[in-house]
Amino acid sequence: MEIETVTDNQKLRVAKKIEKMFGHIDPKLPPEMCPIRDIMALASDKWSILILLYLGYFPTLRFNRLKKKVYGISSKILSERLKTLEADGYILRKMYPEVPIRVEYNLTDFGHSYLQKLLDLTEWVQKYSETILANRSKFAK
Amino acid sequence: MEIETVTDNQKLRVAKKIEKMFGHIDPKLPPEMCPIRDIMALASDKWSILILLYLGYFPTLRFNRLKKKVYGISSKILSERLKTLEADGYILRKMYPEVPIRVEYNLTDFGHSYLQKLLDLTEWVQKYSETILANRSKFAK
DNA sequence: CGGCATCCGAGTAGATACTG
DNA sequence: CAGTATCTACTCGGATGCCG
């Protein structure tokens, strides 16, 4: 898997984006100016990513069904993540007070919008996962 | 900040991407089939992201300079992350055996390629960070 | 200068049990 | 069914000190 050479022009564009993102990048500002860190922390959490992916695939999922999909997650963590994802506006929680109770989760449009960006990244990761794994074993020697 | 409505068509495309990514998504396969989790874990780590951003902005940085940029990081974590990022092929470490020693880090083309994808995501996050923060406080009530 | 070794504290996740 | 409560285990990060 070959990586195309990165042109100086591309590097320049990237630098400009970063500069814009950080405002002024040089000053030794503390990270408080940067809610992005905080938001990315959730958005890039391993469980959250999987939850979003599954909700992107299945239009709606109930708690226990989702739990089975997100292999290995505990009830505690799942409900915790769901709550945070809901609070941030990525997903919607609908409760039906039946007996037994039924709760359904699905992505909001906002969550879908985010998922699309996230997918671009995970697709890149998947595309080059073998390269990375190969790099690792080469480095280990 | 308005989120555009997501069309069914878009949702379908997303679902297809996810399906492709997971192979068959339905079976209860353990996550071992999925090195993506592992790779994403590094690639989405909060410190790693900042390191990559700074190395994307400054063509080359020495250890202590980088440490000052990545506000709040400890030597231990920085060197740890740098090692892993190097192992995965994102960055390059050049050592000059002077006295005192000089070590320079810079992105590889591979790292640059990844950074571009990462930036797309962080830009989205920044664009909607106010929305998310607003969602949170609304939810808190 | 660029780390690594060591220790330590806090937070986080997992297991288990329980409930509206 | 959809969680919560509790307890424990353990990882991770921070601080400090040292060294080539």
Side-chain angles (χ1 to χ4, degrees):
Chain A
M1 183 68 69
E2 296 281 327
I3 270 284
E4 325 76 53
T5 312
V6 181
T7 67
D8 287 349
N9 225 316
Q10 277 178 300
K11 291 188 185 179
L12 210 66
R13 276 212 309 280
V14 165
K16 282 213 188 299
K17 282 189 182 188
I18 295 172
E19 185 167 21
K20 193 177 158 199
M21 228 184 74
F22 277 170
H24 295 285
I25 198 169
D26 214 359
K28 334 121 199 37
L29 291 172
E32 284 75 79
M33 64 156 250
C34 183
I36 300 183
R37 276 198 191 193
D38 178 41
I39 294 169
M40 284 295 293
L42 166 70
S44 67
D45 169 77
K46 69 167 183 167
W47 292 125
S48 303
I49 290 175
L50 287 171
I51 292 169
L52 291 175
L53 286 176
Y54 279 109
L55 286 176
Y57 186 71
F58 298 98
T60 173
L61 280 173
R62 297 173 62 173
F63 187 88
N64 278 319
R65 183 101 187 283
L66 184 53
K67 188 179 167 188
K68 285 196 191 82
K69 299 289 175 198
V70 183
Y71 192 90
I73 198 170
S74 66
S75 295
K76 180 185 166 190
I77 301 301
L78 178 57
S79 85
E80 194 181 298
R81 292 294 189 279
L82 285 172
K83 219 174 290 178
T84 318
L85 288 170
E86 189 195 359
D88 282 14
Y90 295 117
I91 66 176
L92 206 64
R93 178 183 188 273
K94 272 174 287 187
M95 211 232 304
Y96 302 89
E98 309 167 350
V99 179
I101 194 175
R102 179 163 55 106
V103 178
E104 293 186 346
Y105 293 92
N106 61 269
L107 289 183
T108 60
D109 275 1
F110 188 62
H112 238 286
S113 168
Y114 175 74
L115 179 59
Q116 289 182 36
K117 298 295 170 190
L118 184 63
L119 261 181
D120 289 343
L121 189 67
T122 54
E123 281 189 322
W124 186 96
V125 168
Q126 185 183 47
K127 183 176 170 190
Y128 292 108
S129 60
E130 287 183 27
T131 304
I132 292 174
L133 263 20
N135 287 342
R136 281 186 195 175
S137 52
K138 203 187 306 168
F139 188 80
K141 285 184 238 168
Chain B
M1 184 67 72
E2 295 283 326
I3 271 282
E4 324 76 51
T5 312
V6 181
T7 66
D8 287 349
N9 225 317
Q10 278 179 300
K11 292 188 184 179
L12 210 67
R13 277 212 308 282
V14 164
K16 281 211 189 299
K17 283 189 180 187
I18 295 172
E19 184 166 23
K20 192 177 159 197
M21 228 184 72
F22 277 170
H24 293 287
I25 199 172
D26 212 2
K28 332 114 200 42
L29 288 173
E32 284 75 78
M33 64 156 251
C34 182
I36 299 181
R37 275 199 192 192
D38 178 42
I39 294 170
M40 285 294 293
L42 167 69
S44 68
D45 169 77
K46 69 166 182 168
W47 292 125
S48 303
I49 289 175
L50 286 171
I51 292 170
L52 291 176
L53 285 176
Y54 279 108
L55 286 177
Y57 186 71
F58 299 98
T60 173
L61 280 173
R62 297 173 63 172
F63 187 87
N64 277 318
R65 184 102 186 284
L66 184 53
K67 188 181 167 186
K68 286 196 191 80
K69 299 290 177 199
V70 183
Y71 193 89
I73 198 170
S74 66
S75 294
K76 182 186 167 187
I77 301 301
L78 178 57
S79 83
E80 194 181 297
R81 293 293 190 280
L82 285 172
K83 216 175 293 176
T84 319
L85 288 170
E86 190 196 0
D88 282 14
Y90 295 117
I91 66 176
L92 208 64
R93 179 183 188 272
K94 271 175 286 187
M95 211 233 303
Y96 301 89
E98 307 166 351
V99 180
I101 194 175
R102 178 163 55 104
V103 179
E104 292 184 348
Y105 293 92
N106 61 271
L107 288 185
T108 59
D109 276 0
F110 189 62
H112 238 285
S113 168
Y114 176 73
L115 178 58
Q116 290 183 35
K117 298 295 170 190
L118 185 63
L119 261 181
D120 289 342
L121 188 67
T122 55
E123 282 189 322
W124 186 96
V125 168
Q126 186 182 47
K127 184 175 170 191
Y128 292 108
S129 61
E130 286 183 29
T131 304
I132 292 174
L133 261 21
N135 287 342
R136 281 185 195 176
S137 51
K138 203 186 309 169
F139 188 80
K141 285 182 237 167

